[in-house]
Amino acid sequence: MKWHTVTVVPTLPEKLRPLQRLARNLWYTWHPDVIELWRRLDRDLWEECSHNPVCMLSSMSQQRLEEASRNESFLLHMDRVMEALDQYMNVKTPYSFHLEKGLDPGFLVAYFSMEVGMTEALPIYSGGLGVLSGDHLKSASNLNLPLVGLSLLYKQGYFGQYLNKEGWQQEYYAINDFENMPVTLERDAEGKPVEFTLSIQDRSVRVNIYRVQVGRIALFLLNTNLPENSPEDREITSQLYGGDQDMRFRQEILLGVGGVLALEALGLEPTVFHMNEGHSAFSGLERMRKLMKREGLSLEAAKEVVKSNAVFTTHTPVPAGNDYFPPDLMGKYFGKYAEELGVSFHDFMALGRQNPDDDQEAFCMTVLAIRLSNYRNGVSKLHREVSRGMWKGIWPTFPERDVPILSVTNGVHIPSYISQEMADLYNRYLGPRWIEDPDNEKVWERVDLIPDTELWRTHERRRERLIAFSRRKVKDQLIRRGELPSELKRAEDVLNPEALTVCFSRRFATYKRGDLLFKDADRLARILNDPERPVQIIFAGKAHPADMAGKEIIKNIVQYIHEEEFRYKMVFLEDYDINIARYMVQGADVWLNTPRRPMEACGTSGMKAVANGALHMSVLDGWWAEGYSPGGGWAIGAGEEYEDTEYQDEIESRAVYELLEREVIPAFYARTRDGTPSEWIRMMKASMRSLCPIFNTHRMLEDYVDGFYVPAAHLHTKMHPERKKTSESFAAWKQKMHKHWKEVRIQEVKVSNGSAEIPVGTAMEVRARIGLGQLQPEDVWVDLYYGPMDPDGDLIRSLTEPMATDGAAGDAGYLYRTEIPFRESGRFGFVLRVLPRHPLLVHSADMGLVVWG
C-alpha cells in the first residue's frame, strides 16, 4: 500500500504569522527575550514540546492562538522581537576580513561535523563534540562569517537514558518528527526538493537535504530515509553513533562524500573545507576524484589542491577514540573507488596509515584527514602536545615537538548558556558588548562594577531554580520506576536550596572518573552531612550503550545515592541533554571535573558554568591547564601524570576532599554581616573577568579565521588561476625532492666564539657548507635548530635561526651563515637542519624530509 501524505499546519491568525518565521530560526535559542515570548504564549506547552516552537505552534488550540492575537501586550512583545530579528538578519556587511585580508567576496567555509547540538528541540547530538559544533555555527552567525554547516538528519538521534531500580542505564530511541521541528526541506527555484545520488558499493542511494537556519547561516542535514532507497540504506540516517562498524562506515561515506555532493547540488563552492573530527575525512577523497575527472589532474596534483584549503580539527586524545576500519571493509566499499582514482589499493590504503608500507595496519580516518589537510589542530594547548605524540609516526624523521599539529582552544557561545538573570546583570553593568564583543578583556573588567549583593542574590536565585528543577526530575524518575508514595514524598525534600552545590555532568567514560568522589565514601559522607556547612552534589550524564565500564560507574553512584547518608545530599538526573546542562551550569556553585590527565582534550562545560558565576575545580587537563590561576577556581593536583592509575585515583581523590574541606567550604560559608560570602564573590568575579574573554567561541572562531581560514583561502587562490599547471608543477617538485633528497649533505660546520662558555649577550657565528646535488638553494631551508637543554640532554624548548647563502656554489657546496644571539644563561644545544622549501608548502615537516647536522 502506498500512502499519500499531507502536512497539516496551524491556521495562525494574521497578526501571529511572523511567529512561523521566528520558530524556524534558531536565533531564538540565544535570546532570552524571545524564549520569554514563547513562554508567554503557553508556558506548559513550551515545556511539553521540549522548548520546540514549531511543535508548540502545531500543538496549540485555535482558541489559544486567537486569544494571543488579541493580546496587545503579547503583540507588542512579538513586534519588538521580530524587529530585532529583522535588524540582525539584514546586516549585509560581511565579517570585516574580506576587506582587511584581501579575500574574494565569494569566500565561504564548509564546516563538516557528524553531530551538531544547538537546542534540545533538535536532538541530533550526543555531547561535547556536537555542542561545540553548534556553538561554532552560532558564533559564525554573530560574526557574519560566510559559513555553511553539513551534518546528518538522524531519524532517532542519540539514545535517551533512564535508570532501573539498581541504577543500570537503559536506552531508548525516540523518533524525531521533523515535520514538527525547526528543519525545512531544501527546495530549488522551481520548488522541487534538492536531491542527489550517492554511490555506495554497487547501489545508488538517493539523498535529500534539509536546512536549519541558525541566525544568518545555514546548516544542511543529509537524509537517506526515502521510500526509493532500500531498507539498509534508509537506516544510514537512523541513529547517531548507532549500529555496527559497517553502519558507521556508511554514515561517514554519506557525511564526507555525500557532503561534497550536497554542496554541489546546492550550487555552493566553498573556499575552505573544515573537517571537525575525522568522521568527514572522505570528503577529501571525493574532492580529489572530482578534480581528477573534471580537470584532468594527476592523483598527486589533486591531493595538493585538496590539502591547500582543508582544515582538520581532532578532538580525541586516545587512539581508541579514533575511527579505524579494517582492510576488508575498505576494499568492500572503496575497491572500485581506488580504481577510479587510478591507484593501487595498497597506495589507496596508505592514505589512512601512519606507516604506508604496513599492509596489516587498519585504515584510520584521522590519519586520512591529516594527510589531506595543510591546517591541523588540537582543541587545547595540552591536547596539541598529546596529538603530536599520537600521530608522530606520520613524520618519523622529526622530533615530536615539530609535528605540524597546532592548537585552537575551544570556547563556548556564552549567550546560549547564560541565565536570564545573569544576562540582565551583564547588560546593566557590562553593556551590550559582552554579547557583541565577548573576547574583549576591557568589557569583562567591568564585572568588578557589579555590587556583591546583587551578584550573589542573582546566583542564589539560579541555585534555587536548579534545586526545584532537580526535585521535579527526581520525582518523575521515581514515578517512572513505579516507586512507593513514601519515596515520592522524600523526593520533594532532596537537596537544600541554600547549601553549597557541586555539579558533575558529562559523558560517563572511565577516564572521566565520575566515581572518584567515592574513593573514601565515609569521608565524603562527613563532608556532605556537616550540619553547619552542608554540601550537596548533582550528577548527570550518559555512558555509551556499549561502554559497560561507564554504565558500572553510573550504577555505583546511584547505589550510593540510595544509602541513607547520601540520599538527601545527592541526586542523579537522567537523560542528560542541553536543557539539563543549562540548569546545572546556571545553578552550580562549584563545577567539578576529574579526568585522568592528559585524556581530556578540552572540555567546555566548565566554561559555561564560569560564565554563570560558578567556580571551577578540576584536574589540570584540557582547557583548565590554560585557564587556571590561583584565586579564580581550584586545581586538583599540579598537573602530574601517573603510570599507576590506582595510585593516581587515591592521590587525587584525597586532593578533592582536602580542597573541599580546607578551601571551598570555608570560603562559601564565611559570610559578612549582609549574608554574602565576600571571598567567594571575589573569586567569582576574578574567574569571570579572566576566563570569559578567552574561553568563548567568538575568540575561538577568530583564531580559526586568522590562523587557518584566511591562510587556506590565500593558498587556494594561489593555485586557482592555473590550477592544473600549478598543482602539477608542485607535485612534480615534490617528486624531485624525494628523488634527490639523498644528495643533500652538510659538508662542514665552523663556529666562531664556540668556546665552552659564552657570556650572555654574545652572538655565536656559524658557517656551513651544504651540498645540494641536483637541488638549488631556493628548494631548501637551512637553519640552526637550538635551545636550552635539560639535564637529560633534550631541548626544553626549540628555537630556530635561519641561515643565508650568497648562492655561489663552491667545490664543497653552498656557504651558509648565521649568528645565534644568546640572550639568557644556561646550557644550550644546537644542530644544523636542512628542510624542503616551496611557496605552496605550508609545513616544511609535511614531506618528512630533513637532514640533521
Side-chain angles (χ1 to χ4, degrees):
M1 177 186 304
K2 183 176 180 181
W3 295 94
H4 293 279
T5 63
V6 62
T7 301
V8 180
V9 296
T11 305
L12 284 180
E14 185 67 32
K15 290 182 179 180
L16 298 185
R17 292 287 171 83
L19 291 178
Q20 284 197 336
R21 180 161 63 94
L22 183 65
R24 292 189 177 274
N25 191 326
L26 296 189
W27 175 82
Y28 77 82
T29 63
W30 67 91
H31 288 85
D33 192 39
V34 190
I35 293 171
E36 184 56 32
L37 178 73
W38 294 121
R39 287 198 179 110
R40 286 186 64 176
L41 196 57
D42 191 322
R43 186 173 295 271
D44 292 338
L45 191 55
W46 175 249
E47 296 300 329
E48 289 174 22
C49 287
S50 297
H51 306 160
N52 177 354
V54 178
C55 165
M56 184 176 172
L57 289 177
S58 67
S59 304
M60 288 190 70
S61 67
Q62 197 65 40
Q63 178 184 351
R64 181 69 189 93
L65 290 171
E66 294 293 345
E67 289 173 359
S69 72
R70 295 190 295 270
N71 186 323
E72 193 66 29
S73 174
F74 179 83
L75 293 175
L76 288 172
H77 190 170
M78 183 188 73
D79 290 344
R80 183 174 71 247
V81 164
M82 294 308 302
E83 183 180 0
L85 175 60
D86 289 340
Q87 288 178 350
Y88 181 86
M89 296 298 290
N90 290 333
V91 173
K92 300 299 183 185
T93 305
Y95 188 47
S96 59
F97 67 71
H98 274 107
L99 301 175
E100 295 171 5
K101 315 282 185 181
L103 292 179
D104 188 279
F107 174 86
L108 179 68
V109 177
Y111 180 81
F112 292 72
S113 187
M114 194 72 154
E115 52 172 303
V116 184
M118 293 168 292
T119 167
E120 60 274 25
L122 190 59
I124 54 171
Y125 63 92
S126 72
L129 176 69
V131 173
L132 175 82
S133 301
D135 285 5
H136 196 109
L137 301 186
K138 291 173 183 178
S139 279
S141 172
N142 284 351
L143 286 167
N144 217 354
L145 172 68
L147 181 147
V148 295
L150 289 133
S151 190
L152 306 186
L153 186 69
Y154 300 101
K155 181 175 65 177
Q156 296 178 322
Y158 202 50
F159 72 91
Q161 174 204 54
Y162 66 96
L163 306 180
N164 65 20
K165 289 187 177 183
E166 288 72 40
W168 280 106
Q169 173 180 291
Q170 310 291 305
E171 295 89 30
Y172 71 91
Y173 289 87
I175 302 297
N176 284 328
D177 178 9
F178 296 120
E179 295 296 332
N180 285 309
M181 289 183 171
V183 299
T184 306
L185 182 64
E186 188 72 4
R187 298 180 182 275
D188 61 20
E190 298 177 359
K192 298 177 182 178
V194 178
E195 297 185 350
F196 63 92
T197 300
L198 173 67
S199 295
I200 296 183
Q201 285 185 288
D202 55 353
R203 305 188 307 279
S204 293
V205 180
R206 290 300 291 171
V207 184
N208 64 8
I209 305 170
Y210 282 76
R211 173 193 287 258
V212 178
Q213 195 65 35
V214 187
R216 300 181 180 116
I217 69 170
L219 165 65
F220 294 108
L221 302 174
L222 311 185
N223 173 52
T224 64
N225 186 24
L226 302 174
E228 55 264 45
N229 288 332
S230 67
E232 64 177 318
D233 290 331
R234 295 185 69 167
E235 289 298 304
I236 293 174
T237 52
S238 177
Q239 296 176 0
L240 171 61
Y241 304 139
D244 56 13
Q245 189 178 51
D246 190 273
M247 175 60 77
R248 171 68 72 90
F249 195 90
R250 284 182 282 147
Q251 287 184 333
E252 297 191 0
I253 291 175
L254 175 61
L255 179 62
V257 177
V260 173
L261 297 176
L263 290 167
E264 185 177 67
L266 291 163
L268 299 175
E269 297 183 15
T271 318
V272 175
F273 290 77
H274 187 166
M275 297 172 285
N276 190 43
E277 196 54 282
H279 306 125
S280 57
F282 289 143
S283 61
L285 295 178
E286 180 62 12
R287 293 177 61 208
M288 287 169 59
R289 188 188 69 81
K290 286 186 174 297
L291 286 165
M292 294 170 69
K293 183 177 180 180
R294 294 177 180 176
E295 301 185 23
L297 271 61
S298 67
L299 175 74
E300 289 302 317
K303 182 179 173 184
E304 296 307 326
V305 174
V306 166
K307 288 180 62 174
S308 71
N309 64 342
V311 178
F312 168 55
T313 300
T314 175
H315 292 259
T316 311
V318 290
N322 296 272
D323 285 331
Y324 288 87
F325 297 117
D328 60 337
L329 189 63
M330 290 297 299
K332 175 182 175 181
Y333 285 103
F334 276 100
K336 291 182 180 179
Y337 202 94
E339 291 177 14
E340 191 171 348
L341 290 175
V343 298
S344 67
F345 189 65
H346 169 84
D347 290 343
F348 180 83
M349 289 292 291
L351 291 169
R353 288 170 167 161
Q354 289 207 55
N355 181 356
D357 298 321
D358 183 0
D359 287 334
Q360 302 307 308
E361 185 179 333
F363 188 95
C364 179
M365 295 295 283
T366 302
V367 173
L368 177 64
I370 287 173
R371 291 197 186 279
L372 296 185
S373 60
N374 273 334
Y375 306 91
R376 320 166 187 101
N377 70 284
V379 289
S380 69
K381 291 178 181 177
L382 180 58
H383 183 228
R384 172 190 64 198
E385 305 309 313
V386 172
S387 297
R388 287 173 171 174
M390 286 175 62
W391 308 113
K392 62 185 178 182
I394 300 174
W395 299 274
T397 55
F398 283 82
E400 189 174 304
R401 68 173 68 88
D402 292 338
V403 167
I405 297 175
L406 307 179
S407 68
V408 175
T409 302
N410 286 342
V412 297
H413 184 252
I414 292 176
S416 290
Y417 307 101
I418 210 80
S419 72
Q420 174 69 69
E421 295 88 346
M422 190 63 75
D424 290 343
L425 210 57
Y426 285 162
N427 287 334
R428 278 199 300 277
Y429 294 100
L430 277 63
R433 292 186 67 191
W434 74 271
I435 297 176
E436 300 163 3
D437 194 14
D439 59 342
N440 188 321
E441 294 183 8
K442 292 291 184 184
V443 170
W444 290 98
E445 287 176 2
R446 295 178 65 85
V447 163
D448 289 332
L449 299 178
I450 303 174
D452 286 4
T453 52
E454 199 169 349
L455 177 59
W456 187 245
R457 301 306 176 219
T458 298
H459 179 67
E460 285 191 310
R461 282 195 295 274
R462 286 314 311 184
R463 189 193 318 114
E464 289 165 2
R465 292 192 183 185
L466 170 60
I467 302 310
F469 173 80
S470 299
R471 287 172 174 172
R472 291 196 303 271
K473 286 286 294 182
V474 170
K475 189 172 183 178
D476 290 344
Q477 293 166 191
L478 295 176
I479 291 173
R480 188 166 53 246
R481 288 182 215 154
E483 294 287 358
L484 297 172
S486 58
E487 286 298 312
L488 301 184
K489 181 65 177 174
R490 296 179 77 158
E492 297 175 1
D493 295 327
V494 299
L495 306 178
N496 176 351
E498 297 181 355
L500 172 60
T501 302
V502 178
C503 286
F504 182 99
S505 66
R506 53 196 26 87
R507 181 166 58 92
F508 272 80
T510 51
Y511 79 85
K512 293 180 182 283
R513 299 187 297 179
D515 55 353
L516 186 69
L517 274 170
F518 298 93
K519 199 72 177 175
D520 186 341
D522 292 337
R523 188 174 179 181
L524 177 62
R526 291 194 298 273
I527 292 172
L528 301 188
N529 289 287
D530 184 329
E532 300 297 324
R533 302 187 302 181
V535 181
Q536 57 199 9
I537 307 171
I538 300 175
F539 291 94
K542 299 176 179 178
H544 187 277
D547 185 1
M548 298 310 294
K551 291 183 178 183
E552 180 87 24
I553 291 173
I554 293 175
K555 184 206 71 168
N556 291 340
I557 291 172
V558 172
Q559 289 186 346
Y560 274 115
I561 291 173
H562 288 162
E563 296 180 7
E564 193 61 34
E565 62 265 43
F566 294 121
R567 66 188 312 159
Y568 290 102
K569 301 293 185 178
M570 295 193 302
V571 297
F572 190 102
L573 304 182
E574 298 174 13
D575 213 7
Y576 187 48
D577 66 359
I578 287 176
N579 186 45
I580 293 175
R582 195 182 295 115
Y583 271 96
M584 293 181 72
V585 298
Q586 291 175 4
D589 294 309
V590 174
W591 196 263
L592 179 64
N593 190 25
T594 55
R596 185 172 284 121
R597 178 184 162 115
M599 299 177 73
E600 181 88 294
C602 182
T604 56
S605 58
M607 302 175 191
K608 301 162 192 168
V610 162
N612 281 284
L615 294 177
H616 199 239
M617 182 164 78
S618 174
V619 171
L620 290 173
D621 199 6
W623 79 281
W624 196 233
E626 299 170 44
Y628 169 71
S629 61
W634 297 277
I636 301 169
E640 303 92 345
E641 295 176 21
Y642 299 78
E643 293 185 8
D644 186 337
T645 57
E646 283 294 321
Y647 179 68
Q648 179 180 7
D649 292 352
E650 182 67 35
I651 293 296
E652 293 184 343
S653 66
R654 290 181 188 175
V656 173
Y657 300 141
E658 289 176 5
L659 280 172
L660 288 171
E661 292 165 342
R662 299 183 182 183
E663 301 285 339
V664 180
I665 296 171
F668 183 85
Y669 284 105
R671 303 299 171 98
T672 59
R673 290 181 62 186
D674 63 1
T676 58
S678 58
E679 175 61 16
W680 190 274
I681 294 170
R682 186 198 63 76
M683 293 182 70
M684 289 172 67
K685 290 182 176 181
S687 174
M688 291 186 285
R689 185 174 58 246
S690 64
L691 300 177
C692 289
I694 298 173
F695 298 101
N696 63 76
T697 41
H698 191 113
R699 184 275 313 156
M700 180 191 83
L701 210 55
E702 289 189 329
D703 283 353
Y704 277 115
V705 167
D706 293 337
F708 298 149
Y709 293 171
V710 169
H714 285 318
L715 183 61
H716 193 64
T717 300
K718 279 185 183 179
M719 284 190 164
H720 201 274
E722 297 182 60
R723 183 153 63 189
K724 188 175 191 304
K725 179 180 177 182
T726 303
S727 59
E728 294 289 4
S729 173
F730 187 31
W733 175 83
K734 281 192 168 183
Q735 290 176 350
K736 179 187 76 171
M737 297 299 287
H738 281 289
K739 179 179 179 181
H740 295 290
W741 192 254
K742 60 180 178 292
E743 301 168 10
V744 177
R745 295 281 190 277
I746 298 175
Q747 306 285 20
E748 63 176 350
V749 179
K750 293 183 178 180
V751 179
S752 64
N753 290 340
S755 59
E757 294 184 355
I758 299 176
V760 170
T762 303
M764 182 178 75
E765 184 184 53
V766 180
R767 295 172 177 263
R769 284 283 177 184
I770 311 293
L772 298 179
Q774 300 295 309
L775 304 182
Q776 300 300 313
E778 58 265 28
D779 292 324
V780 300
W781 292 109
V782 179
D783 61 32
L784 271 177
Y785 187 85
Y786 73 103
M789 304 188 77
D790 63 24
D792 294 327
D794 193 16
L795 296 189
I796 298 171
R797 65 180 186 277
S798 58
L799 305 166
T800 58
E801 200 68 40
M803 301 186 74
T805 180
D806 58 10
D811 294 338
Y814 295 90
L815 176 64
Y816 284 80
R817 67 170 300 279
T818 193
E819 291 183 342
I820 301 179
F822 291 107
R823 299 185 178 92
E824 57 183 284
S825 60
R827 183 173 174 237
F828 282 73
F830 70 93
V831 64
L832 266 71
R833 185 176 66 168
V834 185
L835 297 164
R837 175 171 66 166
H838 191 280
L840 298 178
L841 187 64
V842 175
H843 301 288
S844 295
D846 262 355
M847 294 179 64
L849 301 177
V850 62
V851 173
W852 296 96

